[in-house]
Amino acid sequence: MTKKYVIYRRVSTRSQGESGLGLEAQDRDIALFLDNYSDVPFEVLGTFTDVLSGADAHRPELQKAIALAKSAGAELLVSKLDRLSRKVSQIAGLMDDSALKIRVASMPNADKFQLHIYAALAEQERDFISLRTKQALAAAKARGVQLGGLRDKTMKRNEAAKEAADAAAKRVASIIVPMRESGASFKKIADALNAANVPTPRSKQWAAMSVRNALNRLAAA
């Protein structure tokens, strides 16, 4: 039996859509999924692309993709979950549609329940990073730091990296802390996170060292 897919892509600006910037990365991830994870044989029934913000609920091409997927009994295939939306409420609405099958290339084995949890965690992490970054910049300004130059860009880049790592540690605290307290090794904890399709801040696989770093961050906090 042939597996059927309808591909949906999204870029945030017109320039990205015209240049292919962003689309190439999405196409690469989708191709990796089809070549390595899809049932064979498979057929792509169509590809639809919106050029708009992730916060914009009006997605004409997405609606066309959904309609085709449902009518043909195909899976709606996206490269990453945030290509559907950055809002949990919008993703939840799609997940609640029992007639719609969704597949995310970068999380090939995740079911709807896991995708919903991941969307909620990602939204919390974005909100947390935004808040901490604003507070850090306000504190720097109060100390007399001149913002806007190369030094400021470096500071914001370093701060953003730190915030992402701190947020990731908090996001998995309820998993790694109890496991560590019960005697689980760093490697065993890393394997559990990877099995649950929980990515690191850089969207990579967890390793024993990254679990230990996360626990150290939680202890320092």
Side-chain angles (χ1 to χ4, degrees), residues 137 140 144-158:
L137 293 175
V145 175
Q146 295 296 319
L147 303 179
L150 180 61
R151 179 180 177 182
D152 176 47
K153 292 180 180 179
T154 301
M155 182 190 72
K156 287 191 288 186
R157 188 163 53 246
N158 292 341

Side-chain angles (χ1 to χ4, degrees), residues 36-48:
N36 295 278
Y37 294 95
S38 174
D39 294 338
V40 291
F42 65 83
E43 179 183 3
V44 175
L45 302 181
T47 299
F48 298 82

Side-chain angles (χ1 to χ4, degrees), residues 114 117 121 171-180 182-200 204-208 210-211:
Q114 291 171 320
I117 292 177
L121 292 172
R171 178 160 54 88
V172 298
S174 62
I175 300 175
I176 65 177
V177 172
M179 288 188 68
R180 186 59 178 169
S182 66
S185 66
F186 295 135
K187 184 180 185 303
K188 184 175 181 179
I189 297 173
D191 290 342
L193 291 171
N194 293 329
N197 293 308
V198 178
T200 68
K204 296 182 178 181
Q205 293 275 300
W206 287 86
S210 52
V211 171

Side-chain angles (χ1 to χ4, degrees), residues 5-6 26 33 35 38 46 51 61 74 114-115 157 175 177 180 185 203 208:
Y5 296 100
V6 174
Q26 293 176 59
F33 168 82
D35 291 342
S38 174
V51 181
E61 294 302 305
Q114 291 171 320
L115 292 175
R157 188 163 53 246
I175 300 175
V177 172
R180 186 59 178 169
S185 66
S203 299

Side-chain angles (χ1 to χ4, degrees), residues 95 102-103 107-117 197:
M95 298 297 178
I102 297 175
R103 183 68 60 183
M107 294 184 286
N109 299 315
D111 57 26
K112 282 189 173 184
F113 178 72
Q114 291 171 320
L115 292 175
H116 197 162
I117 292 177
N197 293 308

Side-chain angles (χ1 to χ4, degrees), residues 12 41 55 57 61 71 75 79-80 87 94 116 127 132 148 151 184 189 203 209 215:
S12 299
E61 294 302 305
S71 66
E75 291 190 355
S79 62
K80 294 183 179 180
K87 290 187 176 182
L94 295 174
H116 197 162
D127 291 344
R132 287 289 299 271
R151 179 180 177 182
I189 297 173
S203 299
M209 180 65 73
L215 287 165

